[in-house]
Amino acid sequence: ISFVGVLIIACPCALGLATPTAIIVGVGKGAREGILVKDAATLEKLYKVSTVVVDKTGTLTKGKPEVVKVNSVDGFKEDEVINILASLEARSEHPIAEAINALAASRQLANKTVDNFEIIKGRGLKGVIAGQEYFAGNLALIAELGLVVDEGKIKQETIEGKTPVILANKIKVIGWVMIADALKVEVAAAVKTLHQMGIKVAILTGDDKNTADFVGKQLGINTVFAQLLPADKLIKIKELQAKGEIVAMAGDGVNDAPALAQADVGIAMATGTDVAIESAGITLLKGDISKLVKAIRLSKLTMRGIKQNLFWAFIYNVVGIPLASGIFFPIFGWLLNPIFAGLAMALSSVSVVGNSLRIKTKNL
């Protein structure tokens, strides 16, 4: 009787169910909340995250910037500057390019033919129009070309959170546009909640430093890294990891893909590029950054469920096996009937599954 009782109660069904049931319920709960988890390991890593690094454009901001000012110099007209910029930006997938093209369309300016188009990583782009080579990009690109621009006037605009796109040829600056992108409504609350959870937040962006600092100040984010190339973002992630930080990276662009892949947990906006989504372990539907907070809460909830499940998987065995083996029989005359051993074994599995299903009822 003791032999049969031990065999039955020691059956490790509950142990085998402890982790997968909690993970499956957690992933399903996430999907209903608009959080798509690619694999279980990502969910397990997320609860340990100590630093969240976010891209600016399209992640913290709406990703639908608008041209708010156009400046032309040296006799060029505003429409000429917009027309050339729109022709160059027509091949770019960046949200800033969409803003410039939208302005050109509103003014009914037809794009010119662009030859030898090339994207200059982290700087801008270039192309040949009617035999003339043009460059469009940030201040770093203009500095590399050795050209002069009114940095004082541009800096005043960037302090207010606007992003400059400067147009130039090989000889001089022709003009520039200032672009503004409003913050997403839910961002401030999400950053505040992350801080309350003891998680540090940093911004990694290729945009102008003044613009990035302005956004950081609005959100209470003190760590801001700006004017970064895609490779620089990757290096910053590695530097944080070298300091012992468990890093989650949230981004949406092609230039975020290397950093998303390097981070302990990559989080992509569903409104972003395919390569960003493919590089990430978690995708947030509708690009809603507040779902990042929910994802972290979900991971903590799931891991707590796994630990509780392991308790229920073991407690029946810890109590039942000595009883079933007859250790207490000589002293108290206690012996576990195989029928009750089977009941205990079944209850351990039911306890594990029932506890996992509780995750569905929790609010994130």
Side-chain angles (χ1 to χ4, degrees):
I1 289 174
S2 296
F3 177 71
V4 173
V6 170
L7 280 179
I8 292 172
I9 202 167
C11 180
C13 294
L15 187 60
L17 292 168
T19 299
T21 52
I23 291 290
I24 289 167
V25 174
V27 169
K29 173 78 173 175
R32 282 190 294 275
E33 295 284 348
I35 303 161
L36 303 184
V37 182
K38 188 181 290 185
D39 55 68
T42 300
L43 200 59
E44 291 180 48
K45 286 178 188 173
L46 189 57
Y47 94 107
K48 297 179 181 177
V49 163
S50 59
T51 298
V52 171
V53 175
V54 288
D55 176 47
K56 184 180 78 68
T57 305
T59 304
L60 295 179
T61 63
K62 291 180 179 178
K64 292 182 179 178
E66 296 179 350
V67 177
V68 293
K69 192 171 185 180
V70 181
N71 291 279
S72 58
V73 295
D74 286 342
F76 280 85
K77 295 179 181 178
E78 279 191 12
D79 280 359
E80 285 183 89
V81 172
I82 295 165
N83 195 199
I84 295 170
L85 272 175
S87 301
L88 291 170
E89 297 283 4
R91 297 193 191 180
S92 173
E93 293 183 352
H94 199 282
I96 284 176
E98 293 179 18
I100 295 170
N101 285 314
L103 179 61
S106 70
R107 298 193 182 192
Q108 298 181 329
L109 302 174
N111 286 343
K112 300 175 183 290
T113 302
V114 178
D115 299 313
N116 301 327
F117 176 82
E118 183 182 333
I119 291 176
I120 306 167
K121 285 185 179 180
R123 298 286 186 265
L125 40 82
K126 66 178 181 178
V128 177
I129 299 175
Q132 175 75 44
E133 187 171 38
Y134 292 98
F135 301 84
N138 54 24
L139 285 168
L141 175 63
I142 300 304
E144 285 180 4
L145 293 171
L147 303 179
V148 178
V149 66
D150 190 343
E151 290 192 28
K153 189 179 288 186
I154 291 175
K155 185 177 180 181
Q156 185 58 42
E157 300 272 4
T158 59
I159 287 172
E160 298 172 6
K162 299 169 188 172
T163 299
V165 178
I166 306 165
L167 177 66
N169 55 30
K170 283 188 173 181
I171 303 170
K172 61 186 177 182
V173 170
I174 295 168
W176 63 85
V177 296
M178 301 305 299
I179 295 173
D181 189 6
L183 289 171
K184 292 178 180 177
V185 177
E186 70 277 5
V187 168
V191 171
K192 184 178 179 181
T193 304
L194 287 171
H195 284 151
Q196 288 172 346
M197 294 168 74
I199 297 172
K200 289 171 273 189
V201 183
I203 295 176
L204 286 188
T205 179
D207 286 356
D208 181 86
K209 189 176 188 310
N210 289 325
T211 306
D213 285 340
F214 178 80
V215 171
K217 194 177 295 181
Q218 280 185 302
L219 298 174
I221 300 174
N222 297 322
T223 308
V224 177
F225 303 103
Q227 295 175 297
L228 300 177
L229 298 170
D232 296 331
K233 291 186 178 183
L234 178 64
I235 291 168
K236 289 295 180 186
I237 296 290
K238 288 181 176 178
E239 286 176 359
L240 289 168
Q241 289 172 329
K243 294 176 182 176
E245 300 287 345
I246 307 297
V247 181
M249 165 75 185
D252 73 328
V254 173
N255 58 346
D256 298 320
L260 286 169
Q262 174 61 37
D264 297 285
V265 178
I267 301 166
M269 305 293 117
T271 50
T273 59
D274 290 344
V275 68
I277 293 170
E278 183 61 32
S279 301
I282 292 177
T283 302
L284 305 181
L285 296 187
K286 298 181 181 178
D288 186 350
I289 195 69
S290 67
K291 294 187 191 303
L292 172 56
V293 175
K294 290 186 175 182
I296 294 172
R297 284 176 178 158
L298 177 65
S299 69
K300 292 180 182 295
L301 197 62
T302 303
M303 291 309 296
R304 192 182 308 130
I306 289 172
K307 291 172 183 176
Q308 290 168 348
N309 285 351
L310 290 171
F311 169 80
W312 287 114
F314 280 113
I315 192 65
Y316 287 94
N317 289 358
V318 169
V319 174
I321 288 177
L323 185 59
S325 64
I327 288 177
F328 301 111
F329 185 74
I331 307 168
F332 304 107
W334 295 347
L335 194 62
L336 189 66
N337 189 298
I339 294 173
F340 292 106
L343 181 63
M345 187 272 289
L347 282 173
S348 65
S349 296
V350 171
S351 299
V352 164
V353 174
N355 188 58
S356 294
L357 291 173
R358 283 176 60 247
I359 296 173
K360 291 173 68 175
T361 66
K362 300 292 184 181
N363 292 323
L364 299 179

